[in-house]
Amino acid sequence: VVVWPNDLDHVTAVIKYAAERQIAVVPFGAGSGVCGGAVPVRGGIALDLKRLASLRIDVPGRVAEAGAGLNGQRLEELLNAQGATLGHFPSSIYCSTVGGWLAARSAGQYSSKYGKIEDMVLALEAVDGTGEVLHTLDGPSAGPDLTQLLVGSEGTLGVITSARLRIWPKPTEQWLRGIKFPSVHAGMRALRAVMRAGLRPTVARLYDPLDTILAGKSGGAAMTVPQPLKWVVEGAQNEALRVALRAPVLLNRLVEALPAASLLILGFDGDSEDDCAEEGEAALALCEAEEGEDLGPAPGEKWLANRYKISYRQSPLYSAGAFVDTMEVATTWDRLETLYDAVRRAVCSHAFVLAHFSHAYLEGCSIYFTFIGLAGKPSEEVARGSREDAEQDLEEAESRYDACWKAAMNAVADVGATLSHHHGVGLSKQIMLPREHGEGMRQLRALKKAFDPKGILNPGKLLL
Amino acid sequence: VNERLRDDLAACGAAVVDEAPGYRVTPPSIASLGRAVAVVRAWKVPLRVRGSGDQPVRAPENGVLIDLASLDRIASVDGATGIARVEAGCSLSALEAAARRASCTLGPLLPSVRAGSVGAWLAGPTRGERGVPGSRRETAALSVAAVLADGRLAESRAAPRSATGPDLDHLSLGGNGRLSVVAAAWVRLFPVAPALASSWRCPNLVTAVAALERLCCDRIAPARARIVAQGDGTRMVAAWEGPETAPMERDRAVRTLAAMGCTVESDPGAGEWVRAPASGHPVEVDARWASLRGWSQFGEMQTIGMHAGGAFAVLALPEARGAEECAALARAAGARVIAPRRMRDPGPHWDAMGAGAVWKRLIEALGVEEGAP
């Protein structure tokens, strides 16, 4: 059953009703999650929160109070109309909501400056599994931080109904550059130097060699993409693509034989062109110390113009019988190279791997891996065959996909990195939670008992 | 005093001392700490932890005081990454000294925090928070290793951010050792950089505080600031510490504050003055900017951990007026007093957020004691 509550009272009424009858309630924002967090695996009520779309903006107070169902792009447009910004620009901004961001600890493309959503939230309104309304405090309070225990709980501890968020004046100026490094490792060192220097770039995205070739095709770092790799990244020729994906090890080795150049997109924003340039030039000097070569603004401008398009370009690959998936993990600077190498090594026999480093902090960084592997037969071939053939094809495809994920996640856990930086856990990563949290799983279960004693909120997620 | 409890505690490998009306236990290792906590929880006697957010000097009646003083090892300091692995009983002064040797620092901290241990900082009322570039505040704990009620150790991944469910470290941070006992942590460090300070003359304290708030809202928060009401106006000094950003941010601050009626002054001693201890009998608070603007027009204020919403502040009154009066004035302005400890405001706690029942169920589920932290 899908329920659309109009207000907080409706949400509490639904949860109390469900708690009395032991019916599962799965909060739903816009369904953009890629890990299956909003899939109602035990049936029950899908609580679609889109009607909770209120917004109150206090520009002088630098605060916005937004309903959980408010669409991300709509929120940003309304803030922009008043000269403000949240600074949160996830790739899913057109099809995600404030509540979804908070439930999964979302990160946007400008996180190196503005932080992740957990850094932006000041207070929450949420309904626990008994129907009680919780209002966390924006300001000094005692004891553990209730807000940070609810953020990231993926609907298992409470239904977030609204949030108080920190907003900022919308910057008027931007400084963007592409910087080419002789290797991805030199780029990592430069990125660390920039962050450790206290600089806060709006954009800091380092692409590994293949991603660099893709990003640089019309951005100043012109390089030629070898044909087998072109088949993979463009997905245009089905049979050729499938041939290439049958040998992922060879494909990955082909990438290693390419020029090792890595592209860093670096950007600063502010209210004065001079201020942006001052920070940008300081960052550039740190990059030059790692043999970074300034490519000018073109690569950055190209990235800016296309920054939301990548998610919508994968359909041809799916139709051709490939799977494409992404894994965003994070660790400290001292383990970053090890993590990058370990995941590539673990996955190279299962799928073609590319990566970029897109959320940098004082102590570390996230890595966003993209896997492209052989799933099954092309969709038109499946449609022509028998049902049994289709089922067997699907089974084999799932098996290959699962093997790829398992190898990748084990490599992450072995390095001691975290399994998710901003996609959440959902269904796809929860099997690894005991390795991530260890004895902390018992803390997680205790939280579940405390917030949702009847176990009705999004059951089957976070292993709860 | 229960002899069998004493025997059980001694079997944990910890030093046990009769400290009527209870026992004081000093575990020499994290494993021993785990065993001691499990014994106390199994006996269901009151537990207090010295060096884990709380600094009680006596054992609770018929209970146990666990002293973390022997857990003082600094396992590693990685200056390039800016992290240190340290046990909870380590003093912050020792950690700061080790960090300095690796060209790092913990950054500005409240005096009461700096005088304590890592565990007391993380589990105490500030939750280990400090200001970070960009006018935000975040905890210094990259990862916490916490002892649960049955003595097992839960430790989160040391990553700058994670999205693997709720942040379980927040069951320890600010928890006063009630939900779990902080045993060790990965602590975030800043690179050491010379501070750049500037001095301003402001019409009054309200304007000076508003000036600091404006800097935070413009994302150029100083690392520390000091405001003192003087006969001919109010003196404000602010200092920035980012290796590359300090000169940029200070120059921008000078431009910004000129429009607020604050006049920059030549003051070669500003860097020293801003770090000088507060006079009189100060109190430490966590406050919103509105509360700080409401502080005595004749008082003194030092701020750190500044963000767009507020700051940690050391508040003092002239003429050696008592800390009690200071605390009363701070509360009247809406600030939360966090030190001296005897004056610490106990709330607002979860019940003020509608989560009183959640708290009760949580301590039951975790197998720990009743009562607010």
Side-chain angles (χ1 to χ4, degrees), chain A residues 213-222 298-299 302:
Chain A
I213 292 171
L214 301 177
K217 270 195 292 188
S218 61
K302 184 193 168 208

Side-chain angles (χ1 to χ4, degrees), chain A residues 129-205:
Chain A
T130 69
E132 287 299 313
V133 180
L134 316 177
H135 289 102
T136 70
L137 293 179
D138 169 15
S141 66
D145 188 343
L146 185 55
T147 303
Q148 291 299 329
L149 289 171
L150 287 165
V151 173
S153 59
E154 302 194 18
T156 62
L157 303 183
V159 176
I160 295 169
T161 49
S162 73
R164 190 173 163 85
L165 303 164
R166 173 70 66 217
I167 59 172
W168 302 96
K170 183 173 165 50
T172 54
E173 304 293 337
Q174 190 166 43
W175 179 99
L176 277 168
R177 283 289 188 283
I179 301 153
K180 190 172 87 173
F181 290 93
S183 70
V184 70
H185 298 102
M188 285 185 217
R189 289 194 296 275
L191 195 51
R192 173 167 67 179
V194 167
M195 300 309 293
R196 294 297 294 164
L199 293 162
R200 283 293 167 272
T202 317
V203 186
R205 298 170 76 86

